């Protein structure tokens, strides 16, 4: 076994990074809007959103692999299925929001025309409202994952690796 767990054991290590990044991104947007001449914060927000969204794709992938092991726990299937569906929806929401925000930032550059301050603030306001709704859904998705960990104990589940099985076998033979 290497430094990192197998793909099906990576979910608990991966999932918190996209959550943190996606929650921080709108803070950068607000700072960028508040500081009129600091558009760098707006582009930093886009970068953080993109990294968080990419992390969400990885988190869903590792979650699907971990879910195959978690299905062994009695009674977990409904919560696991709901969490998986919500995770895929969350991933899609933030993918769309990230693409929309990229359009919001790059359209004026492509058109070589800056929008009026009121129009820019209005567009960002609508975006932030949609982002807030997606963030609430992200929180509910995370809550479902927390239920899997704290109510069903799926955090301890990992596929046995051949190295561990061989090690266990030799210890059992010694008893």
């Amino acid at each position: 076994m290497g430094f990192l767990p197998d793909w099906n054991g990576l979910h608990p290590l991966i999932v918190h990074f996209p959550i943190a990044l996606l929650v921080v991104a709108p803070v950068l947007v607000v700072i960028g809007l508040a500081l009129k001449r600091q558009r760098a914060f707006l582009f930093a927000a886009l970068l953080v959103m993109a990294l968080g969204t990419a992390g969400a794709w990885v988190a869903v992938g590792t979650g699907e692999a971990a879910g195959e092991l978690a299905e062994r726990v009695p009674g977990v299937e409904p919560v696991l299925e709901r969490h998986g569906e919500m995770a895929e929806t969350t991933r899609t929401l933030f993918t769309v929001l990230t693409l929309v925000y990229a359009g919001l930032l790059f359209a004026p550059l492509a058109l070589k025309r800056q929008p009026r301050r009121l129009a820019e603030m209005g567009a960002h306001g609508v975006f932030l409202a949609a982002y807030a709704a997606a963030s609430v859904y992200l929180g509910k998705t995370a809550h479902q994952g927390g239920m899997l960990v704290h109510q069903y104990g799926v955090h301890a589940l990992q596929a046995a690796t051949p190295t561990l099985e061989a090690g266990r076998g030799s210890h059992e033979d010694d008893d």
Side-chain angles (χ1 to χ4, degrees):
M1 189 161 155
F3 177 69
L4 291 174
D6 292 336
W7 183 251
N8 55 19
L10 279 176
H11 188 67
L13 297 174
I14 299 287
V15 71
H16 299 95
F17 291 103
I19 292 170
L21 292 170
L22 292 170
V23 169
V24 167
V27 174
L28 294 171
V29 172
V30 170
I31 291 170
L33 293 174
L35 303 173
K36 296 176 189 174
R37 302 281 182 214
Q38 297 297 322
R39 294 192 59 82
F41 280 98
L42 301 178
F43 286 96
L46 177 61
L47 177 62
V48 170
M49 269 181 237
L51 291 172
T53 300
W57 281 86
V58 175
V60 169
T62 59
E64 289 171 349
E68 292 176 15
L69 295 174
E71 288 175 348
R72 299 175 188 166
V73 175
V76 77
E77 276 193 54
V79 178
L80 183 63
E81 187 173 311
R82 176 136 172 86
H83 177 60
E85 289 170 359
M86 290 178 76
E88 290 174 359
T89 301
T90 300
R91 175 190 67 192
T92 301
L93 285 171
F94 282 100
T95 299
V96 169
L97 284 168
T98 301
L99 293 172
V100 166
Y101 197 66
L104 191 63
L105 289 184
F106 287 109
L109 296 174
L111 298 172
K112 297 181 183 178
R113 181 173 170 225
Q114 285 297 343
R116 294 198 170 137
R117 181 81 176 146
L118 186 58
E120 181 181 34
M121 294 298 284
H124 275 87
V126 169
F127 173 79
L128 287 171
Y131 200 95
S135 295
V136 168
Y137 196 80
L138 170 64
K140 290 180 178 187
T141 303
H143 177 71
Q144 289 290 312
M147 287 175 56
L148 291 168
V149 170
H150 298 291
Q151 290 182 4
Y152 294 95
V154 297
H155 60 286
L157 296 175
Q158 287 189 13
T161 61
T163 307
L164 289 175
E165 288 175 2
R168 285 185 189 139
S170 64
H171 289 292
E172 289 172 3
D173 293 339
D174 293 339
D175 289 342

